[in-house]
Amino acid sequence: HAHRDPPHGWEDVESFRPVLNGMMSLREAWSASVGKPSDVPGGHCAHCAEVTRLVEKLFSNGTTLKEIEGVVDVLCDVLVHNTSDPFNFICRDIPGLVAKLVDYGEATNANITNVVCADFAHACTQRCCISKSAPEQVHLSFAQTAIVGPAVDMQVAWVTEVNASGACVRYQVNAGPWAEAAAVTDTYTIGGWVGTLYFATMAALPPNATVRYQVGSAGAWSTVFNFSTLPENAGTPTRPLRIIGLADMGFGPNGRPTVAALSRAVNRGAVDFILHPGDIGYADGDQAWWDDFMRLMEPIMSRVPYMTGPGNHECIWYNCTAYKKRFRMPAAGAGAPADAMYYALQAPPAGLSMLMLNSETWYDTPDIDAVQRRWMVDVFNSEASSAAPFKLVMHHRPLYCLSSSTECTVFAPRLRAQVEGLYRDHGVAAVMVGHIHNYQRTWPVFNGSVVSHDYTNAAAPTNFINGGAGNREGQMPFTGPQYAWAAKYTTERTYMSYVVWRDPVSGNVTFDATTIQSRTNAVVDHLTIVRSPRHAQP
């Protein structure tokens, strides 16, 4: 069939062909033969699903692709009477697409019928919600860079299927009068998704406050949730900051032990906020799986801010669109594009400066580009970050990892060449990443060499690969050489807890990092990193 535009709206970048993965091959095979899914008229959802399910069944029985294509040609002749109907072409190419999805591993990773018929063909829709008007998928995030102070803004987001007029958040601070803040709305249609996204900000909240809130409109209100703002002394020895960090989790069975562990921590009031740099819900192209993940996480994300960055599983489908629409993080500010997927968080009492970066491209390779690097240097040089002895940087892809795969032998060195010198020169103490599905910790390392076996005022960052939270692709074994910079590694299903405080006399910042086995709560790894003010800017 004639070549038409690719279904994801991706650009055709020939120079990157050598590094594109199997997903790129999938996209090429589909776009070369099918074209824009938006060309498909309505009414073919049932036909598409029928053909796709048949193809899946035939593949599972060992039928060859050529034999399946012959069967499908006959079935398409029965289902589609108008040979000029765009679905006539799509129908006949479903076997090839399913074969590519199976090759890519999507047979166990996604609902193949949804991926084919909604995400690619747009013959079906995927409705967001359990009911049309009831709010769901409620989640909190910090709405500004400063997260500790006399007045903090908290954003709440939620979803309904139909667009509700007059939607807002109504909230009560410390049992005082109820206030309201109007919501702004957004949506997207990629992958056949149907729903409305809402965002509202509870502004100028006082410290150490208990806030009760609910979201919705006159048509339907959510249940009443609650959260607490940070006290002004959060990050001091008497009241440390308590943070959970994780990556590569998803909503499936492998991630459920970690989800349960997060829920327990939130229920006992042991966590102030959560950091998740990429591969969040593992929805890939299946928009319904985003909704499943957000519903699963609502009891957690509605009570503590859930701060995210993009990973490859967010960005190889539709150029991160679902992620950008669903998660509105604090604005990066001056020097960054309006839609930048990176930002900074500052906790002055703790002496902690956090940067969440974007290491992703739409063609599934790592890149922290020049614009983002200039922005990062500006943040490091800002008054707030300069005054913070401890700098924590997060992004999805690793700078160091133990594996013989391309991710560790080609892509990690490429990322080191872009940012490792900046991290060292600006006194970054720790780097937390994911992408590799296990837990790894380095010694303080620069340019592949260990600079210290002491985590106090080391001249280079410690790297945490925190990608063992449990996703449907499974944990990754350790392959290849065992480098001297590797201090600890395990394939156990884990997440991390960070307890951070600044000594009021010395100004030293203590970053107490514990790696926890999700199912048993056993301690897998523990270390303490200390940074003094004089070492914040080497």
Side-chain angles (χ1 to χ4, degrees):
H1 310 299
H3 179 83
R4 291 186 282 180
D5 293 338
H8 296 99
W10 290 337
E11 299 172 11
D12 191 13
V13 184
E14 295 294 340
S15 61
F16 290 109
R17 294 275 179 217
V19 297
L20 302 186
N21 68 355
M23 183 56 69
M24 196 63 182
S25 299
L26 185 158
R27 165 250 173 175
E28 285 299 302
W30 184 251
S31 64
S33 59
V34 176
K36 289 182 180 179
S38 57
D39 292 340
V40 181
H44 286 299
C45 181
H47 293 160
C48 183
E50 180 181 354
V51 174
T52 304
R53 284 194 289 267
L54 173 64
V55 170
E56 284 190 90
K57 182 176 181 179
L58 292 173
F59 269 123
S60 70
N61 291 338
T63 310
T64 68
L65 176 59
K66 185 174 182 180
E67 291 170 331
I68 294 173
E69 287 175 335
V71 172
V72 168
D73 277 342
V74 174
L75 180 57
C76 293
D77 287 339
V78 173
L79 295 176
V80 186
H81 304 290
N82 182 357
T83 58
S84 64
D85 187 333
F87 185 72
N88 183 49
F89 303 108
I90 291 177
C91 183
R92 298 170 198 281
D93 282 311
I94 287 174
L97 177 59
V98 172
K100 286 290 184 179
L101 288 166
V102 170
D103 288 344
Y104 186 64
E106 293 298 322
T108 56
N109 289 349
N111 182 319
I112 294 290
T113 300
N114 282 354
V115 171
V116 171
C117 298
D119 303 330
F120 278 91
H122 286 203
C124 301
T125 58
Q126 300 198 71
R127 299 188 178 278
C128 65
C129 303
I130 295 172
S131 73
K132 287 186 176 295
S133 57
E136 61 175 60
Q137 307 178 38
V138 178
H139 59 285
L140 297 171
S141 60
F142 293 118
Q144 61 191 34
T145 296
I147 64 172
V148 182
V152 174
D153 295 348
M154 189 71 73
Q155 178 184 259
V156 59
W158 67 97
V159 178
T160 65
E161 183 176 319
V162 297
N163 192 332
S165 176
C168 69
V169 56
R170 54 188 187 191
Y171 59 100
Q172 180 189 48
V173 180
N174 290 332
W178 286 82
E180 289 188 359
V184 297
T185 62
D186 204 349
T187 191
Y188 65 92
T189 59
I190 56 99
W193 192 74
V194 176
T196 302
L197 301 155
Y198 303 84
F199 302 88
T201 299
M202 294 169 275
L205 299 174
N208 204 29
T210 298
V211 181
R212 301 175 71 235
Y213 73 97
Q214 63 180 163
V215 300
S217 65
W221 290 97
S222 72
T223 187
V224 176
F225 302 97
N226 66 83
F227 68 92
S228 297
T229 59
L230 289 167
E232 286 195 273
N233 67 337
T236 63
T238 56
R239 186 13 180 117
L241 268 183
R242 305 157 308 169
I243 308 166
I244 283 178
L246 72 155
D248 296 82
M249 185 170 66
F251 74 93
N254 289 346
R256 293 302 172 93
T258 303
V259 173
L262 299 184
S263 184
R264 290 193 298 269
V266 169
N267 288 340
R268 67 176 184 267
V271 56
D272 295 320
F273 56 94
I274 297 173
L275 301 169
H276 192 152
D279 286 8
I280 298 163
Y282 269 80
D284 287 332
D286 191 339
Q287 302 310 307
W289 279 12
W290 265 120
D291 298 318
D292 289 340
F293 175 78
M294 301 302 285
R295 281 191 289 268
L296 173 70
M297 294 295 290
E298 183 185 84
I300 296 165
M301 297 194 294
S302 63
R303 296 179 61 189
V304 297
Y306 203 89
M307 309 306 295
T308 62
N312 59 304
H313 281 269
E314 282 75 55
C315 289
I316 59 176
W317 291 93
Y318 308 103
N319 196 21
C320 321
T321 295
Y323 170 78
K324 286 190 284 190
K325 291 290 188 177
R326 289 173 179 267
F327 293 93
R328 290 192 179 184
M329 295 292 110
D339 63 347
M341 292 183 288
Y342 48 88
Y343 56 93
L345 299 173
Q346 308 291 351
L352 177 63
S353 178
M354 295 163 279
L355 275 69
M356 183 74 79
L357 303 182
N358 172 21
S359 62
E360 300 309 305
T361 67
W362 60 263
Y363 43 88
D364 201 10
T365 60
D367 183 44
I368 298 177
D369 64 21
V371 172
Q372 189 173 181
R373 296 197 299 271
R374 284 193 296 270
W375 172 87
M376 177 171 54
V377 170
D378 289 343
V379 172
F380 285 148
N381 291 333
S382 68
E383 182 179 354
S385 189
S386 296
F390 202 101
K391 296 176 179 63
L392 170 66
V393 171
M394 296 157 286
H395 42 78
H396 186 62
R397 305 267 182 155
L399 275 64
Y400 292 91
C401 50
L402 289 174
S403 173
S404 57
S405 70
T406 300
E407 298 294 343
C408 300
T409 61
V410 176
F411 290 162
R414 181 184 301 176
L415 208 54
R416 290 203 298 270
Q418 289 184 319
V419 298
E420 191 178 27
L422 294 175
Y423 293 173
R424 179 199 58 182
D425 294 346
H426 291 275
V428 172
V431 179
M432 184 185 85
V433 301
H435 196 56
I436 307 300
H437 302 161
N438 51 47
Y439 169 75
Q440 303 178 42
R441 166 173 57 88
T442 72
W443 296 106
V445 58
F446 179 75
N447 197 28
S449 298
V450 175
V451 303
S452 176
H453 289 96
D454 187 343
Y455 290 102
T456 298
N457 291 323
T462 299
N463 290 259
F464 296 105
I465 293 179
N466 193 11
N471 63 80
R472 63 174 178 263
E473 293 180 346
Q475 307 301 84
M476 290 182 176
F478 296 100
T479 60
Q482 305 297 298
Y483 294 96
W485 44 257
K488 176 74 175 181
Y489 43 93
T490 179
T491 58
E492 294 182 74
R493 200 160 295 157
T494 57
Y495 66 98
M496 295 191 75
S497 169
Y498 309 130
V499 180
V500 190
W501 70 92
R502 185 175 192 176
D503 186 272
V505 178
S506 67
N508 292 350
V509 175
T510 298
F511 185 90
D512 198 67
T514 304
T515 305
I516 300 167
Q517 212 278 349
S518 299
R519 192 178 299 276
T520 66
N521 211 39
V523 173
V524 174
D525 191 25
H526 175 263
L527 77 154
T528 300
I529 305 174
V530 177
R531 280 295 172 105
S532 303
R534 65 182 181 277
H535 288 278
Q537 296 282 355

Coordinates of all heavy atoms in Angstrom, one line a residue, residues 311-381:
G311 N 9.9 8.7 31.3 CA 10.8 7.6 31.0 C 10.5 7.1 29.6 O 9.6 7.7 28.9
N312 N 11.2 6.1 29.1 CA 11.0 5.7 27.7 C 9.7 5.1 27.5 O 9.1 5.3 26.4 CB 12.1 4.7 27.3 CG 12.2 3.5 28.1 OD1 12.3 3.5 29.3 ND2 12.0 2.3 27.5
H313 N 9.1 4.5 28.5 CA 7.7 3.9 28.3 C 6.6 5.0 28.3 O 5.5 4.7 27.9 CB 7.4 2.9 29.4 CG 8.1 1.6 29.1 ND1 7.5 0.6 28.4 CD2 9.3 1.1 29.4 CE1 8.3 -0.5 28.3 NE2 9.4 -0.2 28.9
E314 N 7.0 6.2 28.7 CA 6.1 7.3 28.5 C 6.2 8.0 27.1 O 5.3 8.4 26.5 CB 6.3 8.4 29.5 CG 5.7 8.1 30.9 CD 6.5 7.1 31.7 OE1 7.7 7.3 31.9 OE2 5.8 6.1 32.1
C315 N 7.5 7.9 26.6 CA 7.8 8.8 25.4 C 7.9 8.1 24.1 O 7.8 8.8 23.1 CB 9.1 9.5 25.7 SG 8.9 10.8 27.0
I316 N 8.0 6.8 24.0 CA 8.1 6.1 22.7 C 6.7 6.0 22.1 O 6.6 5.7 20.9 CB 8.8 4.8 22.8 CG1 8.1 3.8 23.7 CG2 10.3 4.9 23.1 CD1 8.7 2.4 23.7
W317 N 5.7 6.2 22.9 CA 4.3 6.2 22.4 C 3.8 7.7 22.3 O 3.7 8.3 23.3 CB 3.4 5.4 23.3 CG 3.7 3.9 23.2 CD1 4.5 3.2 24.1 CD2 3.2 3.0 22.3 NE1 4.6 1.9 23.7 CE2 3.8 1.7 22.6 CE3 2.3 3.1 21.2 CZ2 3.5 0.6 21.9 CZ3 2.0 1.9 20.5 CH2 2.6 0.7 20.9
Y318 N 3.6 8.1 21.1 CA 3.0 9.4 20.8 C 3.8 10.6 21.5 O 3.2 11.6 21.9 CB 1.5 9.5 21.4 CG 0.6 8.3 20.9 CD1 0.4 7.3 21.8 CD2 0.1 8.4 19.6 CE1 -0.4 6.2 21.3 CE2 -0.7 7.3 19.2 CZ -1.0 6.3 20.1 OH -1.8 5.2 19.6
N319 N 5.1 10.4 21.5 CA 6.0 11.5 21.9 C 5.6 12.1 23.3 O 5.5 13.3 23.5 CB 6.0 12.6 20.9 CG 7.2 13.5 21.1 OD1 8.2 13.2 21.7 ND2 7.1 14.7 20.5
C320 N 5.4 11.2 24.2 CA 5.1 11.5 25.6 C 3.8 12.2 25.9 O 3.5 12.8 27.0 CB 6.2 12.5 26.2 SG 7.9 12.1 25.8
T321 N 2.9 12.2 24.9 CA 1.6 13.0 25.0 C 0.8 12.7 26.2 O 0.4 13.6 27.0 CB 0.8 12.9 23.7 OG1 1.5 13.4 22.6 CG2 -0.6 13.6 23.9
A322 N 0.5 11.4 26.5 CA -0.3 11.1 27.6 C 0.4 11.5 28.9 O -0.3 12.1 29.8 CB -0.6 9.6 27.7
Y323 N 1.7 11.4 29.0 CA 2.4 11.8 30.2 C 2.3 13.3 30.4 O 1.9 13.8 31.5 CB 3.9 11.4 30.2 CG 4.7 12.0 31.3 CD1 4.6 11.5 32.6 CD2 5.4 13.2 31.0 CE1 5.3 12.1 33.6 CE2 6.2 13.8 32.1 CZ 6.1 13.3 33.3 OH 6.8 13.9 34.4
K324 N 2.5 14.1 29.4 CA 2.5 15.5 29.5 C 1.1 16.0 29.8 O 1.0 17.0 30.5 CB 3.0 16.1 28.1 CG 4.5 16.0 28.0 CD 5.0 16.8 26.8 CE 4.7 16.2 25.5 NZ 5.4 16.9 24.3
K325 N 0.1 15.4 29.3 CA -1.3 15.8 29.6 C -1.7 15.5 31.0 O -2.4 16.3 31.7 CB -2.2 15.2 28.6 CG -2.1 15.7 27.2 CD -2.6 17.1 27.0 CE -2.6 17.5 25.6 NZ -3.2 18.9 25.4
R326 N -1.3 14.3 31.5 CA -1.8 13.8 32.8 C -1.0 14.4 34.0 O -1.5 14.5 35.1 CB -1.7 12.3 32.8 CG -2.8 11.6 32.0 CD -2.5 10.1 31.9 NE -3.5 9.4 31.1 CZ -4.6 8.9 31.6 NH1 -4.9 9.0 32.9 NH2 -5.5 8.2 30.8
F327 N 0.3 14.7 33.8 CA 1.1 15.1 34.9 C 1.6 16.6 34.6 O 2.4 16.8 33.7 CB 2.3 14.2 35.1 CG 1.9 12.8 35.6 CD1 1.7 11.8 34.7 CD2 1.8 12.6 36.9 CE1 1.4 10.5 35.1 CE2 1.5 11.3 37.4 CZ 1.2 10.3 36.4
R328 N 1.1 17.5 35.4 CA 1.6 18.9 35.3 C 2.5 19.2 36.5 O 2.1 19.4 37.6 CB 0.5 19.9 35.3 CG -0.4 19.8 34.0 CD -1.3 21.0 33.9 NE -2.1 21.0 32.7 CZ -2.9 21.9 32.3 NH1 -3.2 23.0 33.1 NH2 -3.6 21.8 31.2
M329 N 3.8 19.1 36.3 CA 4.8 19.4 37.3 C 5.1 20.9 37.4 O 4.7 21.6 36.5 CB 6.0 18.6 37.0 CG 5.8 17.0 37.1 SD 5.5 16.4 38.7 CE 3.7 16.0 38.6
P330 N 5.9 21.3 38.4 CA 6.2 22.8 38.4 C 6.9 23.2 37.2 O 7.7 22.5 36.5 CB 7.1 22.9 39.6 CG 6.7 21.7 40.5 CD 6.4 20.6 39.5
A331 N 6.6 24.5 36.8 CA 7.3 25.0 35.6 C 8.8 25.1 35.7 O 9.3 25.5 36.8 CB 6.7 26.4 35.3
A332 N 9.5 24.8 34.7 CA 11.0 24.9 34.7 C 11.4 26.4 34.8 O 12.4 26.7 35.4 CB 11.6 24.3 33.5
G333 N 10.6 27.3 34.2 CA 10.9 28.7 34.3 C 11.8 29.2 33.2 O 11.9 28.6 32.1
A334 N 12.5 30.3 33.5 CA 13.4 31.0 32.5 C 14.4 30.0 31.9 O 15.0 29.2 32.6 CB 14.1 32.2 33.2
G335 N 14.6 30.1 30.6 CA 15.6 29.4 29.9 C 15.1 28.0 29.5 O 15.9 27.2 28.9
A336 N 13.9 27.7 29.7 CA 13.3 26.4 29.3 C 12.1 26.5 28.5 O 11.4 27.5 28.6 CB 13.0 25.5 30.5
P337 N 11.8 25.6 27.5 CA 10.6 25.7 26.8 C 9.4 25.6 27.7 O 9.4 25.0 28.8 CB 10.7 24.4 25.8 CG 12.1 24.0 25.9 CD 12.7 24.4 27.2
A338 N 8.3 26.1 27.2 CA 7.0 26.1 28.0 C 6.6 24.7 28.3 O 6.0 24.4 29.4 CB 5.9 26.8 27.3
D339 N 6.9 23.7 27.5 CA 6.4 22.3 27.7 C 7.6 21.4 28.2 O 7.5 20.2 28.1 CB 5.8 21.7 26.5 CG 6.8 21.6 25.3 OD1 7.9 22.2 25.4 OD2 6.5 20.9 24.3
A340 N 8.6 22.0 28.8 CA 9.7 21.3 29.3 C 9.3 20.2 30.3 O 8.5 20.6 31.2 CB 10.8 22.2 29.9
M341 N 9.8 19.1 30.2 CA 9.5 18.0 31.2 C 10.6 17.9 32.2 O 11.1 16.8 32.5 CB 9.3 16.7 30.4 CG 8.0 16.7 29.6 SD 7.7 15.1 28.8 CE 9.0 15.1 27.5
Y342 N 11.1 19.0 32.7 CA 12.1 19.0 33.8 C 11.8 20.2 34.7 O 11.2 21.2 34.3 CB 13.5 19.0 33.2 CG 13.8 20.0 32.1 CD1 14.2 21.3 32.4 CD2 13.7 19.6 30.8 CE1 14.5 22.2 31.4 CE2 13.9 20.5 29.8 CZ 14.4 21.8 30.1 OH 14.6 22.7 29.0
Y343 N 12.3 20.1 35.9 CA 12.0 21.1 36.9 C 12.9 21.0 38.1 O 13.6 20.0 38.2 CB 10.5 21.1 37.3 CG 10.1 19.7 37.9 CD1 10.1 19.5 39.2 CD2 9.6 18.7 37.0 CE1 9.7 18.2 39.7 CE2 9.2 17.5 37.5 CZ 9.3 17.2 38.8 OH 8.9 16.0 39.3
A344 N 12.8 21.9 39.0 CA 13.6 21.9 40.3 C 12.6 22.0 41.5 O 11.6 22.6 41.4 CB 14.6 23.0 40.3
L345 N 13.1 21.4 42.6 CA 12.4 21.5 43.9 C 13.4 21.9 44.9 O 14.5 21.3 44.9 CB 11.7 20.2 44.3 CG 10.7 19.6 43.3 CD1 10.3 18.2 43.8 CD2 9.4 20.5 43.3
Q346 N 13.1 22.8 45.8 CA 14.0 23.3 46.8 C 13.4 23.2 48.2 O 12.2 23.5 48.4 CB 14.3 24.8 46.5 CG 14.8 25.2 45.1 CD 16.2 24.6 44.8 OE1 16.9 24.1 45.6 NE2 16.5 24.7 43.5
A347 N 14.2 22.6 49.1 CA 13.8 22.4 50.5 C 14.9 23.1 51.3 O 15.8 22.4 51.8 CB 13.6 21.0 50.8
P348 N 14.8 24.4 51.5 CA 15.9 25.1 52.2 C 16.3 24.6 53.6 O 17.4 24.5 53.9 CB 15.4 26.6 52.2 CG 14.5 26.7 51.0 CD 13.8 25.3 51.0
P349 N 15.3 24.3 54.5 CA 15.6 23.9 55.8 C 16.5 22.6 55.8 O 17.4 22.4 56.6 CB 14.3 23.6 56.5 CG 13.3 24.5 55.7 CD 13.8 24.5 54.3
A350 N 16.3 21.8 54.8 CA 17.1 20.5 54.6 C 18.4 20.7 53.9 O 19.2 19.8 53.8 CB 16.3 19.5 53.9
G351 N 18.6 21.9 53.3 CA 19.8 22.1 52.5 C 19.8 21.3 51.3 O 20.8 20.8 50.8
L352 N 18.6 21.0 50.8 CA 18.4 20.0 49.7 C 17.9 20.7 48.4 O 16.8 21.4 48.5 CB 17.4 18.9 50.1 CG 17.1 17.8 49.1 CD1 18.3 17.0 48.6 CD2 16.0 16.9 49.7
S353 N 18.6 20.5 47.3 CA 18.1 21.0 46.0 C 17.9 19.8 45.1 O 18.9 19.0 44.9 CB 19.2 22.0 45.4 OG 18.8 22.4 44.1
M354 N 16.7 19.6 44.5 CA 16.4 18.5 43.7 C 16.1 18.9 42.3 O 15.3 19.8 42.1 CB 15.2 17.7 44.3 CG 15.4 17.1 45.7 SD 13.9 16.7 46.5 CE 13.4 18.4 47.2
L355 N 16.7 18.2 41.3 CA 16.4 18.5 39.9 C 15.9 17.2 39.3 O 16.5 16.2 39.3 CB 17.7 18.9 39.2 CG 18.0 20.4 39.2 CD1 18.5 20.8 40.6 CD2 19.1 20.8 38.2
M356 N 14.7 17.3 38.7 CA 14.1 16.2 37.9 C 14.3 16.5 36.5 O 13.8 17.5 36.0 CB 12.6 16.0 38.2 CG 12.0 14.8 37.5 SD 12.4 13.2 38.2 CE 11.3 13.1 39.6
L357 N 15.2 15.7 35.8 CA 15.5 16.0 34.4 C 14.8 15.1 33.4 O 14.2 14.1 33.8 CB 17.0 15.9 34.2 CG 17.9 16.8 35.1 CD1 19.4 16.6 34.7 CD2 17.5 18.3 35.0
N358 N 14.9 15.4 32.2 CA 14.3 14.5 31.1 C 15.4 14.0 30.3 O 16.1 14.7 29.6 CB 13.4 15.4 30.2 CG 12.9 14.6 29.0 OD1 12.9 13.4 29.0 ND2 12.5 15.4 28.0
S359 N 15.6 12.7 30.3 CA 16.7 12.0 29.6 C 16.2 11.3 28.3 O 16.9 10.5 27.7 CB 17.4 11.0 30.5 OG 16.5 10.0 30.9
E360 N 14.9 11.6 27.9 CA 14.3 10.8 26.9 C 14.2 11.5 25.5 O 14.1 12.7 25.4 CB 12.9 10.4 27.3 CG 12.9 9.6 28.6 CD 13.8 8.4 28.6 OE1 13.7 7.6 27.6 OE2 14.7 8.3 29.5
T361 N 14.2 10.7 24.5 CA 13.8 11.1 23.1 C 12.6 10.3 22.6 O 12.4 9.2 23.2 CB 15.0 10.9 22.1 OG1 15.2 9.5 21.9 CG2 16.2 11.6 22.6
W362 N 12.0 10.7 21.6 CA 10.8 10.0 21.1 C 11.2 8.7 20.4 O 10.4 7.8 20.2 CB 10.0 10.8 20.2 CG 10.7 11.4 19.0 CD1 11.2 12.6 18.8 CD2 10.9 10.7 17.7 NE1 11.8 12.8 17.6 CE2 11.6 11.6 16.9 CE3 10.6 9.5 17.2 CZ2 12.0 11.3 15.6 CZ3 11.0 9.2 15.9 CH2 11.7 10.1 15.1
Y363 N 12.5 8.6 20.0 CA 13.0 7.4 19.3 C 13.8 6.5 20.3 O 14.6 5.7 19.8 CB 13.9 7.8 18.1 CG 14.8 9.0 18.3 CD1 16.1 8.7 18.8 CD2 14.5 10.3 18.1 CE1 17.0 9.7 19.0 CE2 15.3 11.3 18.3 CZ 16.6 11.0 18.7 OH 17.5 12.1 19.0
D364 N 13.6 6.7 21.6 CA 14.0 5.7 22.6 C 15.5 5.6 22.7 O 16.1 4.5 22.8 CB 13.4 4.3 22.3 CG 13.4 3.4 23.5 OD1 13.7 3.9 24.6 OD2 13.2 2.2 23.3
T365 N 16.1 6.8 22.8 CA 17.6 6.8 23.1 C 17.7 7.9 24.2 O 16.8 8.8 24.4 CB 18.4 7.2 21.9 OG1 18.0 8.5 21.4 CG2 18.3 6.2 20.8
P366 N 18.8 7.9 24.9 CA 19.0 9.0 26.0 C 19.6 10.3 25.4 O 20.4 10.3 24.4 CB 20.1 8.3 26.9 CG 20.9 7.5 26.0 CD 19.9 6.9 24.9
D367 N 19.1 11.4 26.0 CA 19.6 12.7 25.6 C 19.2 13.7 26.6 O 18.0 13.8 26.9 CB 19.1 13.1 24.2 CG 19.7 14.4 23.7 OD1 20.9 14.6 23.9 OD2 18.9 15.2 23.1
I368 N 20.2 14.4 27.1 CA 19.9 15.6 27.9 C 20.5 16.8 27.1 O 21.7 17.0 27.1 CB 20.5 15.5 29.3 CG1 19.8 14.4 30.1 CG2 20.3 16.9 30.1 CD1 20.4 14.1 31.5
D369 N 19.7 17.5 26.3 CA 20.2 18.3 25.3 C 20.8 19.6 25.8 O 20.7 19.9 27.0 CB 19.1 18.6 24.3 CG 17.9 19.4 24.8 OD1 18.0 20.0 25.9 OD2 16.8 19.3 24.2
A370 N 21.3 20.4 24.9 CA 22.1 21.6 25.3 C 21.2 22.6 26.0 O 21.6 23.3 27.0 CB 22.7 22.3 24.1
V371 N 19.9 22.8 25.6 CA 19.0 23.7 26.2 C 18.7 23.3 27.7 O 18.8 24.1 28.6 CB 17.6 23.8 25.5 CG1 16.6 24.6 26.3 CG2 17.8 24.3 24.1
Q372 N 18.5 22.0 27.9 CA 18.3 21.5 29.3 C 19.6 21.6 30.1 O 19.5 22.0 31.3 CB 17.8 20.0 29.2 CG 17.4 19.5 30.6 CD 16.8 18.1 30.5 OE1 16.3 17.6 31.5 NE2 16.7 17.5 29.3
R373 N 20.7 21.4 29.5 CA 22.0 21.5 30.3 C 22.2 23.0 30.7 O 22.7 23.2 31.8 CB 23.1 21.0 29.5 CG 23.0 19.5 29.2 CD 24.4 18.9 28.7 NE 24.9 19.5 27.5 CZ 24.7 19.1 26.3 NH1 23.8 18.1 26.1 NH2 25.2 19.7 25.2
R374 N 21.9 23.9 29.8 CA 22.1 25.3 30.2 C 21.1 25.7 31.3 O 21.5 26.4 32.3 CB 21.8 26.2 29.0 CG 23.0 26.2 28.0 CD 22.9 27.4 27.0 NE 21.7 27.2 26.1 CZ 21.7 26.6 25.0 NH1 22.8 26.0 24.5 NH2 20.5 26.5 24.2
W375 N 19.9 25.2 31.2 CA 18.9 25.5 32.3 C 19.4 24.9 33.6 O 19.3 25.5 34.7 CB 17.6 24.8 31.9 CG 16.6 24.8 33.0 CD1 15.7 25.8 33.3 CD2 16.3 23.8 34.0 NE1 14.9 25.5 34.4 CE2 15.3 24.2 34.8 CE3 16.9 22.5 34.2 CZ2 14.8 23.5 35.9 CZ3 16.4 21.8 35.2 CH2 15.4 22.2 36.1
M376 N 20.0 23.7 33.5 CA 20.5 23.0 34.7 C 21.6 23.8 35.4 O 21.6 24.0 36.6 CB 21.0 21.6 34.4 CG 21.6 20.8 35.5 SD 22.0 19.1 35.1 CE 22.9 19.3 33.6
V377 N 22.5 24.3 34.6 CA 23.6 25.2 35.2 C 23.0 26.4 35.8 O 23.5 26.9 36.9 CB 24.6 25.5 34.0 CG1 25.6 26.6 34.5 CG2 25.3 24.3 33.6
D378 N 22.0 27.0 35.2 CA 21.4 28.2 35.7 C 20.8 27.9 37.1 O 20.8 28.7 38.0 CB 20.3 28.8 34.8 CG 20.9 29.4 33.6 OD1 22.1 29.7 33.6 OD2 20.1 29.6 32.6
V379 N 20.1 26.7 37.2 CA 19.5 26.3 38.5 C 20.6 26.1 39.5 O 20.5 26.6 40.7 CB 18.7 25.1 38.3 CG1 18.2 24.5 39.7 CG2 17.5 25.4 37.5
F380 N 21.7 25.4 39.1 CA 22.8 25.2 40.1 C 23.4 26.5 40.6 O 23.8 26.6 41.7 CB 23.9 24.4 39.4 CG 23.6 22.9 39.2 CD1 24.1 22.2 38.1 CD2 22.8 22.2 40.1 CE1 23.8 20.9 38.0 CE2 22.6 20.9 40.0 CZ 23.1 20.2 38.9
N381 N 23.4 27.5 39.7 CA 24.0 28.8 40.1 C 23.0 29.7 40.8 O 23.4 30.8 41.2 CB 24.6 29.5 38.8 CG 25.8 28.8 38.3 OD1 26.5 28.1 39.0 ND2 26.0 28.9 37.0

